[in-house]
Structures are given as structure tokens and as C-alpha cells.
Amino acid sequence: MIALYDVCYVRLGTRDLDTAARFATEVLGLEVAERGRQSLHLRSDARAHTLFYGEGDPAAQAVGFEVRRQEELDAAGTVLEALGHAVRRGTGAECAERRVRDFLAFRDPSGNAIELAWRPEQGPGHYRGSRDAGITAFSHVGLCSTDPARDEHFWTEVCNARVSDRIGNAPLLRIGQVHHAIALFPSPRPGIQHVNHQVESGDDVMRSFYLLRERGIPVVFGPGRHPSSSARFLYFEGPDGMVFEYSCGVRLIADELLYRERQFPFANSGFCQWGAAPRIREFQ
Ligand SMILES: O=C(O)c1cccc(O)c1O
Ligand SMILES: [Fe+2]
């Protein structure tokens, strides 16, 4: 079983790096860790980076998960190849760009680019947001899945994820105590479906709601509250149509023995207990 320790970074492609840089700093509130001619590393917490934008095809995406031991990479490669997944070890330059010592790349059963990363770096000093969005950490990703049941099996049987709740057939999967690090939503195609950052308080969610509206940033769901994680949330659209989410108050699941996953309806009420309606394709 591949022991994922935490979700550690998201890599996005963008056709316009300047626009992405302005959005990531002035709107989202991330800190620029490094800006290259065709690359942008952004911080949201103590880590060296959690969001990377590369200039090019917006479909050039990947999600990085930390593994704690380098031997896990070899073992994971063997397991994945036996299941028919092509695997590739990162080059020195690619590891440096990811601020990791080593990584293994493969695609999940839907075709999402996944990277298993060893020893992701911590950043210098505290994260200092470019605006006070109240961000405390990069926390989870939504992934598009062409077969949520099949992919749930992959993430929970080949990897060590556990189902915290389901919304219809969409599983919300934890790898630590946080309610979920990965959520799989039905879609005809693979891809990163949303990127979540946790914020300090409900006030931060509401402050961002008014700021985004003022700046004409499309709010596509919320403010609302998820019945699954109990988190209050706000979803909005960034460059290249990528959906970002702020949420606060996500529940922690500490008792692995007693906890039982719940089933919510794939309906507005399964996504929000306050009555908000999503304008997000994968939530409809
Ligand atoms: O936090 C959640 O429970 C949640 C539920 C549905 C979709 C999401 O993106 C979520 O973060
Ligand atoms: Fe989310």
C-alpha cells in the first residue's frame, strides 16, 4: 500500500503567467516564493511552495503527495507498474523545481498526473500573504474522475486514503486527520477540479466574498457550509477557469476505529447545508 503522508503541492499550467501571478497574489493572497521567466512558485504556509504555475498548456497539471521514506518511491513504482501504470522518476532539475529531494510521477486511473514527493522543503521564515486573506494552509484538491468508484478503490486500496464521506458517488478522502485531502468528482475528463486553502475564520470567508465581488471575480458557489466537513466555504474562479475554494472549520477525524463515513445526496443540500446552489459543473 502506498503510504501518502500529506498533499503537498499543486502544479498548474497557464497561458498567461502575469495574470496568474496577479490573481495568486492580489486576489488569492499567496506569497511569491520565486518568479521565473516561465514559472511562479507560491507559498500558502510554512512549506517552500504549495502552488506552482508554469507558463504553457493549462492542462499541464499535477498534484504532489508527500511520502515519508525514499524507499516508498521504489515500492510504489513496483506496485503501480504491476497495475499497469507507467511511472517515471523525476530528474534532478525537476526535483529542484518542486523543492523536493526525489519524486515519482504516474497517472491515476482517470489520467490525473500524480507525483509522490520525498522530503518537500520548508520555506524560509513565515508565510506572508500578499493580502490578508487569512490563509492558514493549502489543504485539499478536488480531482475530476471518469469513474469515482474505480478511483476510490485506487486511492483507498492501492494508497492509504480513507473515505470520510460521500456525496452521491463522490468520495471525500482523508490521508491524515483532516476530513479530506482529495475529493473525486464525476467528470467526462480528468483534471484538477478545485484547489482549497484553509482560512482562519468565517470572517475571512466573508471578507473575501465582498472583496471578490468588488473586484469582479466570479463567485461560483457560496458563501455556504458543507454538511460533510462542516467547513464554511466560498468558491471562485481564477485564471484558465480553475476553481479555488477558501474554507474554514474543516472537521478533523481522530478516531479511525469509531468513525464511520456518511452518505450525502448528490444535490445542492449535499454540498451546502445553508441552501447555496453551486455554479460548478462537477457539483451539478
Ligand atoms: O469540505 C467539504 O466537505 C467539501 C464537500 C464538497 C466539495 C468540496 O470541495 C468540499 O471541500
Ligand atoms: Fe473543497
Side-chain angles (χ1 to χ4, degrees), residues 76-85 87:
T78 305
V79 167
L80 291 165
E81 281 182 325
L83 292 170
H85 296 261
V87 300

Side-chain angles (χ1 to χ4, degrees), residues 140 167 172 179-180 185 194 226 228-229 231 235 245 271 283:
H140 70 255
I167 303 172
L172 303 172
H179 182 271
H180 58 289
F185 298 103
H194 78 277
H226 290 303
S228 32
S229 70
Y235 293 77
E245 176 191 20
F271 284 92
F283 292 178

Side-chain angles (χ1 to χ4, degrees), residues 25-29 127 129-134 208 211-212 215 246:
T25 51
E26 297 171 19
V27 176
L28 200 45
Y127 150 71
S130 305
R131 82 167 177 89
D132 182 14
S208 286
L211 177 136
L212 295 173
R215 296 197 181 173
Y246 289 132

